[in-house]
Amino acid sequence: MNSIFHRVSIRKYQEKPVEEEKIELLLKAAMQAPSACNQQPWEFYVVTDRETISKLAESTPYARAAKGAPLVIVPCYRKNGLIAPSLAEIDLSICTENILLEADDLGLGAVMMAVAPDREWMEAVRKACGISLELEPFCLIPAGYPAEGHPQQDRYDPSRIHRI
């Protein structure tokens, strides 16, 4: 689990496409995530089209860095037929982390850009990708070969640990 201690948020990318094999590994990692009642509510939009990526970069005030990414993964969750629908966003959080860790392991950089629960942002992403009304967009994950790098911060803080 070295990626946990190595991964950082990357917002600048080389102009180099991400290979299909690596995209598949990112999605396999996502789908290995645990989910409430094993409901696996996720579906993914894989965006490499420059025009669509530009629209996604304008979908929230915080998504501008997506514009330079060769790849944006848009995890979504189903609204219907779930055993524990109130936990779908937690499930998506876990699968998103798996994508971020796998990206690091593959030599890629990535960052999670929140979309849910802001309805305006979710609708902008839905429109940009043509996402069905049966799905809810959760976040944007721009990814690619890093054009920047910085060391990970040590966030361990023993004062936040309470033992009983």
Side-chain angles (χ1 to χ4, degrees), residues 54-65:
S54 290
K55 289 177 185 175
L56 290 172
E58 299 298 320
S59 64
T60 87
Y62 307 102
R64 306 259 189 274

Side-chain angles (χ1 to χ4, degrees), residues 10 13 26-27 30 44-47 56 66 69-75 92-93 95-101 103 109-115 138-144:
I10 299 294
Y13 310 94
L26 293 172
L27 297 169
F44 304 89
Y45 283 73
V46 176
V47 184
L56 290 172
L71 166 68
V72 178
I73 296 174
V74 183
L92 269 285
S93 295
C95 82
T96 296
E97 179 71 0
N98 279 11
I99 291 171
L100 297 175
L101 292 172
V111 62
M112 184 265 209
M113 297 175 169
V115 173
F138 178 68
C139 70
L140 305 177
I141 307 172

Side-chain angles (χ1 to χ4, degrees), residues 1 11 41-42 44 78 133 142 159 161:
M1 295 305 306
R11 293 176 177 83
W42 41 69
F44 304 89
R78 292 185 306 282
L133 293 174
S159 71
I161 299 169

Side-chain angles (χ1 to χ4, degrees), residues 47-125:
V47 184
T48 55
D49 176 72
R50 297 300 323 153
E51 185 177 328
T52 305
I53 289 173
S54 290
K55 289 177 185 175
L56 290 172
E58 299 298 320
S59 64
T60 87
Y62 307 102
R64 306 259 189 274
K67 190 168 187 166
L71 166 68
V72 178
I73 296 174
V74 183
C76 301
Y77 58 93
R78 292 185 306 282
K79 298 190 299 188
N80 300 318
L82 299 179
I83 299 164
S86 65
L87 301 176
E89 288 187 2
I90 293 172
D91 295 343
L92 269 285
S93 295
I94 298 167
C95 82
T96 296
E97 179 71 0
N98 279 11
I99 291 171
L100 297 175
L101 292 172
E102 182 67 7
D104 181 76
D105 196 56
L106 294 172
L108 300 171
V111 62
M112 184 265 209
M113 297 175 169
V115 173
D118 188 289
R119 297 305 311 172
E120 184 179 330
W121 300 350
M122 293 168 79
E123 290 310 312
V125 170

Side-chain angles (χ1 to χ4, degrees), residues 14-54:
Q14 298 175 30
E15 291 186 29
K16 176 181 176 182
V18 177
E19 298 87 346
E20 281 300 318
E21 308 82 52
K22 289 188 177 184
I23 294 171
E24 185 175 344
L25 288 170
L26 293 172
L27 297 169
K28 283 183 175 184
M31 293 184 206
Q32 280 301 118
S35 64
C37 304
N38 198 29
Q39 65 185 350
Q40 303 175 37
W42 41 69
E43 296 201 19
F44 304 89
Y45 283 73
V46 176
V47 184
T48 55
D49 176 72
R50 297 300 323 153
E51 185 177 328
T52 305
I53 289 173
S54 290

